[in-house]
Amino acid sequence: MRIIMLGAPGAGKGTQAKKIAARYGIPHISTGDIFRANIKNGTELGKKAKTYMDQGLLVPDELTCDLVVDRIQQPDAEKGYVLDGFPRTIPQAECLTEALEKLGSKIDYAIDVDVPDSNIVNRMSGRRACVKCGATYHIVYAAPKQEGICDACGEKLILRDDDKPETVQKRLDVYHSQTQPLIDYYTKQGVLKSVDGTKDLDEVFAQITQILGA
Ligand code: AP5
């Protein structure tokens, strides 16, 4: 099963992608997590990506597409994957479609997690993330067992640099101008499904499993 998660920053794509990956036994591939791991490790890619991410801008397509096309050809992705945060622009979507055609494969579902902008800033300011293992929490809606500590690996949780309200607004603007057109793109490919992302975490997941089949 090859799945793309679409939706605004903070819509809950990552939260649901992790649940899908666990339920269906496929890898969760998040370009945001890949960039953050590179930033943490001080790689050249990480240094380049950071300058864009800190401003709420997209990392250039040429740094992103090959990375994902390579990742989806790894052995663990043979039976499928859930892409989170990619594609994010029409050129990225075209690059993915072209690469999949060459591999004789295609996307089965593009799931749009629909949340209005008015809910987003609140969600982002309450989000806490683990830089070590990528787990995410919310101080109210999905709190860790011990405040400030990751349940999964015991690392300290942080507020992401790009979750400050002024950067969130920029990311929302970028989403509407560059990523939202993908909803039309995948509607035309006949694979778009929408879920109401304002419901609680488990209700959103129930909508998704209804689409994917339990
Ligand atoms: P990325 O890490 O992909 O960020 P994003 O798309 O902006 O998405 P988020 O991770 O912020 O949100 P999410 O939808 O996953 O929400 P979450 O589940 O955490 O990208 C970061 C940056 O990297 C980009 O700005 C860009 O610079 C760069 N980048 C990445 N990919 C790129 C690409 N392809 N091309 C170019 N640049 C790229 O949920 C948010 C919070 O809400 C959490 O606290 C969660 O617990 C809570 N929550 C979730 N669901 C619910 C619910 N139903 N009810 C209540 N709370 C909820």
Side-chain angles (χ1 to χ4, degrees), residues 138-158:
H138 190 281
I139 52 175
V140 178
Y141 310 120
K145 290 191 185 93
Q146 191 185 340
E147 196 185 322
I149 304 291
C150 179
D151 291 350
C153 72
E155 186 79 7
K156 265 194 193 159
L157 299 176
I158 58 147

Side-chain angles (χ1 to χ4, degrees), residues 31 34-53 59-60 62-65 67:
T31 40
I34 294 171
F35 290 137
R36 281 185 288 277
N38 275 275
I39 292 171
K40 193 174 173 225
N41 295 330
T43 68
E44 275 312 306
L45 174 65
K47 283 178 200 154
K48 284 184 190 155
K50 187 171 175 14
T51 58
Y52 298 96
M53 289 169 75
V59 176
E62 58 272 21
L63 294 181
T64 311
C65 195
L67 188 90

